[in-house]
Amino acid sequence: MKSDSSSGISRLLELAQVLEKDIEERKLKAGDSYLTTSAAAAYLEVGSKTANQVLQVLEKKGVLHRAQRRGAVIAQPPVFDLSAPESKIETVYFLFGSVYRKDYFTQEEECSLTLSLQEKLKKVDISAKLASQGREFVEDVGELISSALQMGRTPGFICLGCPPEVQRLVAQSGLPAVVWGTCHASITGISSLESDFESAATQSVALVERRNRQRVIFITHNVISPGVHVFLDGFRRQLGSKLVCERFLPVDQEVITINVQELFRQFQPDVWYLKYSCPDLIMSAIDDLKRVNPGYAPDVIYEARYAAYKVNVDSPCYLIATEIDPSTLGRMLGNLLLGSLRGDPVQHVLLPMQLSAQG
């Protein structure tokens, strides 16, 4: 039975729902044996690694219990505290806007994040909605909210890379929600969790000054989030005329290669700043430049969501990233969501970022 789910967090959650439906249809009870990892892999038509991650999600949710030499068994339904905030939420939706890409996280990061969030929100269904074309995404979210309010349900929302229309709908609904990223201008009443991009700009400029660099190129995606504006405002203000060009590029190797070559011919930059989900593509193009231009030795600063991120390139470079691991991030998102449900004051949490030399 093959799931038609998309890749990433959405795929992991949908595969977990496939197994939950199987448990329900088979009318399995607490203590009954369930699928081994290999049997789950065959049933879902996925690899054993993915199957194990799916079973882990159901374990964190309290659906399964797993023990050595016994495999997975149906768990005893926990005694649930009806006064706990999470008891009022049936489903939490990840709303992934167009900024989100399937390579935004590694499979391990996706798994760690999902497991820690599910552990924080036991018995809560976690689902995902990916941005569709045009206004369909906004309309889908609007219908989801309207239906929930009409039926007296209380879903929760985690918004990543969502357009302002979606953030506004969620904020105005009064339902528990958190923005994973920066809120768009005019969006109020909703907590957020974002990297401290102002600090990232300050640390990067300090490196440029310390190394006496004069010509900086900034590259990011062609679809950007408010966090990019926060970073660029600080970067421009502090660098002044040393910021010689900004480029907003799609994830396409040929487009990237041609742009990097053109930027080199025009500016000969001594610093490349990459605010990009897959910097390997740009760094590969920069390495090609260095091979055909002996003596060219620019600094490369790349921004990543986690300090553990590594790129496979020849150039020595600098990484700027948060020290927060995916598991901690999942717990923080869960805490903010539960705080929203309790009516806690709105929080805008900034994750500290640190610059370090790589390679």
Side-chain angles (χ1 to χ4, degrees):
M1 178 176 182
K2 192 169 185 177
S3 170
D4 293 329
S5 54
S6 56
S7 60
I9 292 174
S10 174
R11 181 168 183 254
L12 195 62
L13 294 172
E14 289 186 18
L15 290 172
Q17 290 172 359
V18 169
L19 293 190
E20 280 197 272
K21 184 178 179 181
D22 175 58
I23 292 170
E24 181 181 346
E25 290 177 345
R26 290 165 61 183
K27 296 182 171 55
L28 298 178
K29 304 183 296 296
D32 289 346
S33 296
Y34 194 51
L35 302 176
T36 62
T37 300
S38 58
Y43 182 74
L44 297 170
E45 297 186 20
V46 297
S48 58
K49 181 178 180 180
T50 299
N52 182 56
Q53 291 173 339
V54 174
L55 291 171
Q56 283 182 298
V57 170
L58 294 183
E59 184 179 20
K60 294 295 185 183
K61 190 176 180 180
V63 174
L64 297 177
H65 173 69
R66 302 172 82 193
Q68 282 189 336
R69 290 191 292 274
R70 195 179 173 196
V73 297
I74 307 302
Q76 184 71 35
V79 177
F80 208 60
D81 181 4
L82 295 179
S83 66
E86 57 267 34
S87 68
K88 300 177 176 64
I89 302 179
E90 296 178 2
T91 305
V92 169
Y93 294 97
F94 270 108
L95 303 179
F96 293 118
S98 56
V99 172
Y100 172 77
R101 288 180 41 78
K102 66 181 181 180
D103 55 5
Y104 202 76
F105 308 101
T106 66
Q107 185 175 357
E108 289 73 20
E109 289 169 350
E110 290 166 346
C111 182
S112 296
L113 171 67
T114 305
L115 291 175
S116 61
L117 182 62
Q118 186 70 78
E119 187 173 28
K120 193 71 184 176
L121 304 171
K122 282 190 181 297
K123 284 305 191 183
V124 175
D125 290 327
I126 302 177
S127 187
K129 292 185 72 66
L130 300 175
S132 46
Q133 297 297 318
R135 287 194 55 82
E136 289 182 17
F137 185 48
V138 179
E139 293 170 356
D140 288 348
V141 173
E143 290 176 5
L144 187 64
I145 291 172
S146 296
S147 175
L149 294 175
Q150 288 172 8
M151 299 180 69
R153 300 200 312 269
T154 306
F157 298 95
I158 298 174
C159 304
L160 172 60
C162 291
E165 298 94 332
V166 168
Q167 286 191 7
R168 188 173 295 112
L169 279 172
V170 171
Q172 292 176 350
S173 72
L175 295 169
V178 58
V179 170
W180 182 2
T182 304
C183 292
H184 288 277
S186 83
I187 307 299
T188 59
I190 185 170
S191 293
S192 64
L193 180 66
E194 180 62 292
S195 301
D196 188 351
F197 292 127
E198 182 73 29
S199 170
T202 299
Q203 293 179 64
S204 301
V205 171
L207 175 68
V208 171
E209 298 295 341
R210 187 165 63 249
R211 292 182 55 77
N212 195 30
R213 300 305 196 182
Q214 303 299 319
R215 298 175 302 282
V216 181
I217 295 287
F218 172 85
I219 297 180
T220 191
H221 290 282
N222 58 329
V223 179
I224 62 175
S225 66
V228 177
H229 297 151
V230 173
F231 176 87
L232 264 179
D233 288 348
F235 209 45
R236 290 166 177 154
R237 184 175 62 252
Q238 297 177 64
L239 270 182
S241 60
K242 289 186 178 181
L243 181 58
V244 295
C245 189
E246 302 160 7
R247 281 291 164 91
F248 304 86
L249 303 178
V251 181
D252 184 287
Q253 184 65 75
E254 290 186 23
V255 171
I256 287 170
T257 299
I258 291 173
N259 272 273
V260 166
Q261 292 171 350
E262 289 179 349
L263 290 168
F264 173 75
R265 284 194 294 269
Q266 188 171 354
F267 300 105
Q268 292 224 322
D270 47 21
V271 177
W272 299 81
Y273 190 102
L274 314 180
K275 190 176 177 66
Y276 209 73
S277 68
C278 39
D280 307 65
L281 299 180
I282 304 175
M283 287 187 163
S284 177
I286 294 172
D287 281 342
D288 289 343
L289 275 180
K290 292 169 63 178
R291 280 189 281 272
V292 297
N293 293 277
Y296 181 55
D299 289 342
V300 178
I301 307 172
Y302 71 97
E303 187 181 301
R305 188 161 291 276
Y306 308 112
Y309 189 92
K310 301 294 181 184
V311 291
N312 299 312
V313 292
D314 300 332
S315 299
C317 52
Y318 299 86
L319 166 70
I320 187 155
T322 69
E323 298 294 329
I324 304 298
D325 61 87
S327 293
T328 302
L329 182 59
R331 289 190 290 272
M332 293 176 75
L333 288 168
N335 284 332
L336 286 173
L337 197 61
L338 293 177
S340 173
L341 183 62
R342 289 192 299 264
D344 292 354
V346 170
Q347 299 183 64
H348 297 296
V349 180
L350 291 178
L351 303 175
M353 303 189 76
Q354 185 64 43
L355 181 71
S356 60
Q358 303 289 298

